[in-house]
């Protein structure tokens, strides 16, 4: 008889903030997440999907299931900026220019995450989004990245102000990772 051992997935990322969120989303599916810290050289790409394909190519040496993720904050009033450049933009400029540019523009925004799963030569992608608005000023110390300026639809506070766990109920990352969990659940012996 083949034993149905819980699958282990190696999540490759430089971003420590993503790790607890990935673990929380996959835990209900009995998937254990091992974190491999790695700094990717991000390609100039026009979509998160292209970046994920490149990340998946560069982790071909990792055994078993390997998971990567690329995400970004998209602001329609800024033609989708910072979008695929979110990490680079934040490293250089933080929130200041975004808050300034949005002073007289609609504040709608959304986060999008593309998760990439690979095993050997096979790979799969899963997408999650959360819609909301950009706050007038940063608030909160939880989470990471743009969390202090993002207010999800139906909330009156930012992701940065949310107690642990609340972001995981609605986030783009959680929504992409739940699909990873469901996928792995169906592939078990
Ligand atoms: P990787 O090693 O996984 O690539 P990274 O931080 O470089 O880690 P990305 O390339 O996916 O991540 O860039 C995503 C950017 O968008 C980065 O600046 C994040 O801080 C930001 N971001 C993504 N998801 C977020 C979230 O849930 N909350 C706040 N900011 C987020």
């Amino acid at each position: 008889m083949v034993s149905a051992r819980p699958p282990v997935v190696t999540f490759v990322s430089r971003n420590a903030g993503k790790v607890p969120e990935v673990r929380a989303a996959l835990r209900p599916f009995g998937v254990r997440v091992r974190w491999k810290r790695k700094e990717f050289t991000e390609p100039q790409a026009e979509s998160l999907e292209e970046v994920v394909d490149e990340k998946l190519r560069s982790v071909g040496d990792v055994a078993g299931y390997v998971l990567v993720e690329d995400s970004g904050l998209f602001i329609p009033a800024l033609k989708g900026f910072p979008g695929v450049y979110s990490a680079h933009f934040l490293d250089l400029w933080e929130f200041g220019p975004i808050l300034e540019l949005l002073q007289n523009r609609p504040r709608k925004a959304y986060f999008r995450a593309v998760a990439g799963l690979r095993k050997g030569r096979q790979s799969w992608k899963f997408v999650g989004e959360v819609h909301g608005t950009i706050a007038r000023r940063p608030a909160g110390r939880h989470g990471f990245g743009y969390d202090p300026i993002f207010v999800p639809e139906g909330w009156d506070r930012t992701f940065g102000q949310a107690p642990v766990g609340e972001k995981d109920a609605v986030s783009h990352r959680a929504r992409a990772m739940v699909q990873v969990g469901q996928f792995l659940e169906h592939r078990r012996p």
Side-chain angles (χ1 to χ4, degrees):
M1 198 181 104
V2 188
S3 72
R5 275 197 294 161
V8 179
V9 160
T10 304
F11 179 57
V12 185
S13 172
R14 68 167 178 163
N15 188 329
K18 291 182 178 180
V19 183
E21 296 184 12
V22 172
R23 287 204 169 113
L26 292 178
R27 194 174 300 122
F29 299 94
V31 177
R32 283 200 300 122
V33 177
R34 190 187 294 144
W35 178 29
K36 183 173 180 204
R37 187 195 283 264
K38 172 183 158 98
E39 188 95 22
F40 291 102
T41 19
E42 292 211 5
Q44 287 288 322
E46 290 193 3
S47 69
L48 300 179
E49 281 82 353
E50 276 178 62
V51 179
V52 165
D53 284 336
E54 191 53 42
K55 284 180 175 178
L56 284 172
R57 266 193 287 278
S58 76
V59 296
D61 55 332
V62 181
Y65 281 108
V66 56
L67 179 65
V68 299
E69 183 251 65
D70 204 69
S71 40
L73 177 69
F74 294 78
I75 304 178
L78 305 181
K79 296 192 188 318
F81 193 77
V84 76
Y85 306 108
S86 294
H88 199 51
F89 184 84
L90 192 69
D91 288 348
L92 284 174
W93 302 106
E94 292 226 306
F95 312 131
I98 290 180
L99 297 180
E100 206 162 303
L101 285 167
L102 289 187
Q103 268 175 9
N104 297 306
R105 291 185 170 90
R107 311 188 71 84
K108 276 193 189 312
Y110 63 95
F111 275 121
R112 187 162 193 267
V114 179
L117 183 69
R118 170 176 182 160
K119 191 171 190 202
R121 297 171 77 91
Q122 284 184 291
S123 66
W124 306 269
K125 288 200 277 287
F126 308 86
V127 180
E129 286 186 3
V130 58
H131 290 250
T133 53
I134 299 298
R136 296 216 163 258
R137 59 192 68 82
R141 292 160 172 271
H142 294 288
F144 64 94
Y146 296 92
D147 281 340
I149 62 164
F150 185 79
V151 180
E153 250 167 30
W155 288 33
D156 57 4
R157 55 186 172 182
T158 67
F159 267 161
Q161 292 172 296
V164 175
E166 279 190 19
K167 178 182 174 188
D168 297 336
V170 298
S171 87
H172 51 310
R173 180 161 302 101
R175 287 175 173 159
M177 293 302 163
V178 161
Q179 294 170 61
V180 172
Q182 288 167 342
F183 173 82
L184 289 171
E185 202 168 42
H186 287 111
R187 280 177 66 91
R188 273 191 229 177

